[in-house]
Amino acid sequence: MTSPRTLELLSRFFFASNANEMRDSYLALAEIFPAPTVDDWSAVEFSFNHLFVGPRALLAPPYASIYLEGHEAKLMGESTLKIRHLYEMLGLASPWVNKIPDDHIALELDALWQAASALERVDSPQLKDAHDYLLNHLRAWTPKFVARIQSIDDVHPALLFVAQTLKDVIFSHAE
């Protein structure tokens, strides 16, 4: 089973607001998985912003609804509201309500991390069901998200590593 710590590090990486935060999460992941060496974190930050933040159109939007809701994909769609409801059932709430959609990869990873951590301490069928629902939800869209990242030219190798690690972790988690 993937450790909750790995989920936490991935969540923190995707929520990083600067090169230093990316570096810290990346280096902690690199202690677990073989990772490319990074010499220039400003280049990683530039590539990260280009893919996931903007200001231009996002090349790889980090939101489940984009990948799950077909041709009419929009932020804050039905899948986003389902995830918000799941967070509420788990007693979680996004600190970025109405600022960042609830189906952002970092928030979903954070919820999975919280559920996995809780399951290490508590045997609860309801918690296990919520965990499994969230895991299956992530498995439904992260391959498309990762494929989008991998299809873009000039993505920094550190981001390709994190994307592949994300996919590997989601598909190895709880197996």
Side-chain angles (χ1 to χ4, degrees), residues 76-153:
M76 295 301 294
E78 182 179 330
S79 62
T80 309
L81 299 178
K82 284 182 182 177
I83 287 300
R84 180 179 286 176
H85 180 68
L86 179 67
Y87 295 164
E88 290 169 0
M89 289 173 36
L90 290 169
L92 302 172
S94 170
W96 294 277
V97 170
N98 299 323
K99 294 179 183 164
I100 297 174
D102 297 54
D103 63 342
H104 188 283
I105 185 66
L107 287 171
E108 291 193 7
L109 288 167
D110 184 73
L112 186 60
W113 157 45
Q114 298 292 337
S117 295
L119 281 170
E120 288 183 342
R121 297 183 307 273
V122 177
D123 182 20
S124 164
Q126 295 86 358
L127 180 57
K128 176 81 169 103
D129 288 347
H131 170 276
D132 292 351
Y133 177 88
L134 183 55
L135 180 60
N136 288 327
H137 169 78
L138 280 158
R139 286 178 174 170
W141 74 274
T142 54
K144 296 173 189 173
F145 174 58
V146 170
R148 174 89 58 100
I149 294 166
Q150 293 171 334
S151 73
I152 298 167
D153 292 333

Side-chain angles (χ1 to χ4, degrees), residues 12-30:
R12 287 185 181 181
F13 184 87
F14 281 106
F15 253 147
S17 61
N18 59 53
N20 290 334
E21 291 176 8
M22 282 177 227
R23 182 195 65 228
D24 293 346
S25 297
Y26 184 90
L27 292 176
L29 282 169

